[in-house]
Amino acid sequence: MAALASAVDRVAASIEVMAGHSKWAGIKHKKAIVDARRGKLFTKLARAITVAAKDGGRDPDTNPALGLAVQKAKDASMPKDNIERAIAKGTGEGSDAEALEEVMYEGYGPGGVALLVAATTDNRNRTGSEVRHTFSKHGGNLGEPGSVAYLFDKRGLIVVDAARYAEDDLLPAIEAGALDVSVDDDVFEILTEPADLTAVRAALEDAGVELESAELSQHPKTRVPIDEDVATKLMRLIDALEDNDDVDDVHANFDVDAAVLERVAG
């Protein structure tokens, strides 16, 4: 009982009220559903599976990166045959195997917001040129490698609907090793060490908690406050970057009111 009470105290102590950055994770998840309907998301998910399989083999049990990529694809309702083809492509079993590689671009957007752009490409020159053009077109600047990466930590990120669940429902996450829990408007954001993401996810699902999303993310160490005008410009840049077929995800260190974010990004 004492251990349980201690864990409950840890949940209460760790719940932090955040601004709109947490809300963004939920909005991105909803946008991903729309992208899945268009089939665009499946292409990006398949590339991530192919790269993970190429780097670590076809067995998700011994290749954590592949396991996470496959789970993300399943979360998006990607057909099993698509997943198997992507794995085969990565291990050289497919007839059209490509030399895909992961690249991280770094830069600044409107308001001095730091951006990390995760991409998967078979042509660095093409993707780099397109990303640079997008930054310039929308008031940003592409930087050199290392220019903003130090402002982020790689973390597991789980988003839960705060309208459906209470703080006590997240106790299994803390017991499974979650680092932190924050709340922003109508979502909880649960952070983990990258290696603990699968275990924390499983603990919540075993407890009957449905997840909005669960993925590896670049989590900002500090955040830059921005107003609605800057947020509008920033979201245009992020949307344009994410529209690039080679771009998998965009991470940013902004801080904005959740209601403002809902207006400009919804």
Side-chain angles (χ1 to χ4, degrees):
M1 290 297 292
L4 180 59
S6 175
V8 172
D9 289 342
R10 286 178 61 199
V11 173
S14 65
I15 294 288
E16 179 184 0
V17 178
M18 304 294 293
H21 189 276
S22 300
K23 179 75 173 178
W24 188 38
I27 289 173
K28 287 172 69 179
H29 177 65
K30 291 170 185 173
K31 286 185 174 182
I33 294 173
V34 175
D35 283 344
R37 293 195 188 107
R38 298 202 310 259
K40 185 171 185 177
L41 180 64
F42 287 173
T43 299
K44 296 188 177 187
L45 291 171
R47 284 189 170 198
I49 292 170
T50 296
V51 171
K54 183 181 76 169
D55 291 344
R58 66 172 297 112
D59 186 355
D61 293 332
T62 58
N63 182 352
L66 178 60
L68 288 170
V70 168
Q71 185 61 59
K72 191 170 182 179
K74 289 179 177 178
D75 290 345
S77 300
M78 186 173 178
K80 183 178 179 180
D81 288 348
N82 294 38
I83 294 174
E84 290 298 326
R85 282 197 298 271
I87 293 174
K89 191 173 182 179
T91 55
E93 299 165 30
S95 59
D96 58 344
E98 295 180 45
L100 295 172
E101 59 178 327
E102 294 178 320
V103 186
M104 188 73 79
Y105 298 99
E106 307 178 34
Y108 285 95
V113 173
L115 297 173
L116 285 180
V117 182
T120 304
T121 180
D122 58 357
N123 187 324
R124 276 177 174 256
N125 290 335
R126 180 197 68 232
T127 305
S129 176
E130 291 174 350
V131 169
R132 182 181 299 278
H133 174 73
T134 303
F135 266 91
S136 298
K137 182 178 179 180
H138 293 278
N141 293 286
L142 185 64
E144 296 297 323
S147 58
V148 304
Y150 69 95
L151 298 171
F152 297 81
D153 287 320
K154 192 170 186 179
R155 291 284 184 262
L157 173 62
I158 298 172
V159 177
V160 174
D161 186 350
R164 295 181 59 190
Y165 300 100
E167 295 173 10
D168 287 351
D169 296 320
L170 305 183
L171 177 59
I174 299 297
E175 293 177 325
L179 295 174
D180 185 53
V181 180
S182 60
V183 63
D184 178 20
D185 194 22
D186 58 357
V187 296
F188 285 111
E189 181 182 89
I190 303 163
L191 292 179
T192 77
E193 292 288 359
D196 294 335
L197 175 60
T198 300
V200 174
R201 174 187 181 131
L204 286 169
E205 290 180 334
D206 288 346
V209 177
E210 292 187 21
L211 312 181
E212 291 280 310
S213 62
E215 61 187 354
L216 290 178
S217 180
Q218 295 290 342
H219 192 73
K221 296 178 182 177
T222 59
R223 294 184 174 90
V224 178
I226 59 175
D227 59 21
E228 184 161 352
D229 180 59
V230 172
T232 300
K233 296 174 182 176
L234 179 64
M235 287 302 123
R236 286 174 184 160
L237 169 57
I238 290 174
D239 286 345
L241 288 167
E242 290 181 336
D243 276 344
N244 188 305
D245 289 342
D246 295 339
V247 172
D248 301 317
D249 206 354
V250 180
H251 311 277
N253 71 340
F254 67 88
D255 200 14
V256 66
D257 183 83
V260 170
L261 187 61
E262 190 79 44
R263 285 198 297 272
V264 302

